[in-house]
Amino acid sequence: MEPGPRRLSAAGVAWDAWRTTRGGPAAVAARQEARLDALVAHARSASRFYAEHYRDVPEGPPGPAGLASLPPVRKPQLMARFDDWVTDPEASRDAVAGFVADPEAVGTDFLGRYVVFTTSGSTGTPAVLVQDRDAVAVMTGLAYARSAGVLPPRLLGQVLARGARQAAVFAGGGHFLAATMFERRLRARPLRRRIARWFSVLEPLPRLVAELNAFQPVLLGTYASALAVLAEEQEAGRLRIRPLVVASGGELLSAAVRRRAEAAFGAVVVESYSASEATPLALPCRRGVLHVNSDWFLLEPVDAAGRPVPPGRRSDSVLVTNLANRVQPVIRYELGDSVVLGADPCACGSPLPTIRVEGRTDEILRVAGDGGGEVVLLPMAVSTVVEETPGVLRHQVLQTGPAALAVRLEETPGADRDEVWSRVRARLGLFLREQGAGGVAVERAGEPPRPDPRSGKLRHVLGPPPG
């Protein structure tokens, strides 16, 4: 049974988001309070996990000021109690696992009413996230309301005049956030397939470049690491595209990569901040500054001990609360990202708080090619090959030499270690041969994956040591 009637529409969310922004800080605060109080009351009554988790917390609406009275939650804790966490018994862990095991189901709705995302486990534990219709309406409505004004009207006209062809260059083959939402939109309106295409980062770079040259996208979306490589290909003259807008997400976009991409493509480069647990967490204003969608998502920067970090200081982690999703409540959920909340209002005039984000920082690998020279391996492609191998719980790939990779593995409970390793080695070997780097040796490391000691996040792909 679906928990509660459908209440929100994308158009309604977009209209309310516009009114909230116009209403200033008071309008944002009012929506935060009402939505948080309703969410916590629902979680207490409908989720066995939260009923136990809040047993010692006084009853009554906490409001944003009382948010800190609610104990935080972490991914391993929730995944271990999945069936107690969800508020719809039909969305059981076994049922969801069967759904995500089917690659043909990407872009379809689980049980006809939920969207499911899987994560890569950058904090050490992969997750399966179930989003209800209200949450999906919020995703879409916020994107409509707060992305529309980022680009100048003249540029929007140029995008439409050139056909608005959209290229999405991301990891496919799984129920990842980008892949699921992209395919879902195409299934909803099949005519979009004429102007929107998916390109996998797992493809060999020369083939990817050739396909993008043939498609000539006007809008290009990809990871920051892929953007850096594509900008290099454009500078070398092998990639010859003229996008008007480039959107980066999923990884930290450095200022250097942004400047390089802007110069190489002559395009406007925009960045967003999202997580499978809550999206879009932050969208840019016309000045390029990220603003938290704080009327629907609460972000709390914290230090290593879980204490609040004031604006202007870098956090060790961040807690997120998704005020929309009722089937799998996310309340003070530790993401692990390091962020800096702005101490001053943005010059654009928005009442929404600003944020700087340190996201995934996996490294581009450059290995020896079969015919001499080097082959570029995108970190998201390497990581996807390993993490999609049955039996892999956590992983880390290290380049130990010009033609050598080592893999740190942690297997799922009950899995045969040697069998899992055999699968990983075979899949990586096939991937490397397809990339033109079949001579690269793949070895199993003797130690398990190691999180970054500063951030606590698990970097999945690490380049060779300096020197």
Side-chain angles (χ1 to χ4, degrees):
M1 180 181 72
E2 185 176 0
R6 184 176 184 181
R7 300 164 297 125
L8 301 179
S9 68
V13 170
W15 170 243
D16 184 72
W18 181 84
R19 288 194 306 153
T20 301
T21 304
R22 299 268 296 184
V28 175
R31 284 157 176 79
Q32 286 178 340
E33 182 171 7
R35 290 164 182 167
L36 177 61
D37 292 347
L39 174 66
V40 172
H42 172 74
R44 281 183 182 270
S45 64
S47 167
R48 291 192 299 270
F49 170 81
Y50 279 105
E52 294 177 16
H53 199 56
Y54 295 161
R55 183 178 297 151
D56 298 327
V57 178
E59 294 281 351
L67 186 61
S69 68
L70 304 175
V73 296
R74 292 174 176 80
K75 190 186 301 183
Q77 178 185 25
L78 292 174
M79 290 304 297
R81 298 280 307 278
F82 191 96
D83 289 353
D84 293 329
W85 176 19
V86 295
T87 62
D88 183 351
E90 291 187 60
S92 67
R93 181 164 190 160
D94 288 345
V96 175
F99 177 79
V100 300
D102 180 7
E104 297 300 318
V106 173
T108 65
D109 286 357
F110 171 57
L111 299 177
R113 57 184 182 266
Y114 299 128
V115 173
V116 177
F117 305 131
T118 55
T119 75
S120 59
S122 60
T123 54
T125 303
V128 178
L129 288 313
V130 184
Q131 303 269 6
D132 62 24
R133 287 171 173 169
D134 280 358
V136 175
V138 168
M139 292 179 208
T140 308
L142 288 178
Y144 286 158
R146 291 179 178 152
S147 295
V150 173
L151 304 178
R154 181 178 178 183
L155 183 58
L156 287 173
Q158 292 174 334
V159 168
L160 294 174
R162 285 182 47 189
R165 287 185 305 280
Q166 176 187 2
V169 184
F170 293 98
H175 293 255
F176 306 122
L177 172 62
T180 295
M181 294 306 291
F182 188 88
E183 181 61 27
R184 194 173 186 271
R185 286 192 291 270
L186 295 186
R187 288 176 184 265
R189 295 187 180 178
L191 288 178
R192 285 177 174 165
R193 295 185 188 275
R194 297 179 179 179
I195 60 170
R197 280 191 55 188
W198 183 271
F199 299 85
S200 174
V201 292
L202 276 70
E203 289 191 82
L205 184 59
R207 187 189 306 167
L208 175 60
V209 166
E211 291 178 349
L212 288 172
N213 283 337
F215 185 63
Q216 285 297 309
V218 179
L219 305 169
L220 173 65
T222 190
Y223 307 114
S225 59
L227 180 58
V229 172
L230 292 177
E232 183 178 315
E233 292 295 297
Q234 183 88 354
E235 291 166 347
R238 293 181 289 270
L239 181 63
R240 297 177 297 278
I241 61 176
R242 296 184 301 114
L244 293 173
V245 181
V246 176
S248 175
E251 298 175 324
L252 174 66
L253 177 66
S254 68
V257 171
R258 179 193 290 271
R259 288 193 299 268
R260 187 174 189 180
E262 288 173 339
F265 297 114
V268 173
V269 177
V270 297
E271 179 186 14
S272 63
Y273 174 42
S274 291
S276 300
E277 295 83 357
T279 190
L281 280 173
L283 292 168
C285 66
R286 189 168 293 184
R287 293 175 173 266
V289 178
L290 283 173
H291 288 260
V292 180
N293 291 308
S294 57
D295 46 345
W296 282 107
F297 308 114
L298 305 181
L299 287 184
E300 302 173 75
V302 294
D303 64 17
R307 296 169 300 207
V309 171
R313 284 183 49 191
R314 182 179 182 274
S315 74
D316 291 294
S317 187
V318 65
L319 307 178
V320 64
T321 298
N322 182 338
L323 298 174
N325 191 19
R326 298 295 183 89
V327 67
Q328 201 182 44
V330 171
I331 307 172
R332 306 200 77 212
Y333 175 103
E334 185 171 9
L335 275 183
D337 290 336
S338 174
V339 304
V340 178
L341 278 183
D344 301 308
C346 182
C348 75
S350 170
L352 301 174
T354 64
I355 191 172
R356 291 202 323 269
V357 184
E358 179 179 310
R360 294 181 64 148
T361 54
D362 292 340
E363 301 175 16
I364 297 168
L365 304 184
R366 300 177 187 273
V367 298
D370 294 336
E374 67 178 19
V375 170
V376 175
L377 304 178
L378 297 177
M380 194 63 74
V382 175
S383 181
T384 300
V385 169
V386 180
E387 73 186 11
E388 289 297 295
T389 304
V392 172
L393 178 63
R394 299 195 307 163
H395 72 281
Q396 202 167 40
V397 179
L398 302 83
Q399 183 175 357
T400 56
L405 301 178
V407 183
R408 295 171 177 165
L409 282 179
E410 181 178 335
E411 301 78 13
T412 57
D416 183 281
R417 295 185 73 249
D418 292 335
E419 185 176 337
V420 173
W421 166 242
S422 179
R423 292 189 195 123
V424 169
R425 183 172 55 187
R427 286 170 58 90
L428 263 182
L430 175 60
F431 169 74
L432 290 167
R433 290 193 295 275
E434 290 175 341
Q435 302 293 318
V440 174
V442 179
E443 302 175 346
R444 180 160 71 177
E447 67 277 356
R450 298 176 181 173
D452 187 301
R454 295 170 300 173
S455 67
K457 298 198 76 173
L458 183 66
R459 297 172 63 195
H460 290 103
V461 180
L462 299 172

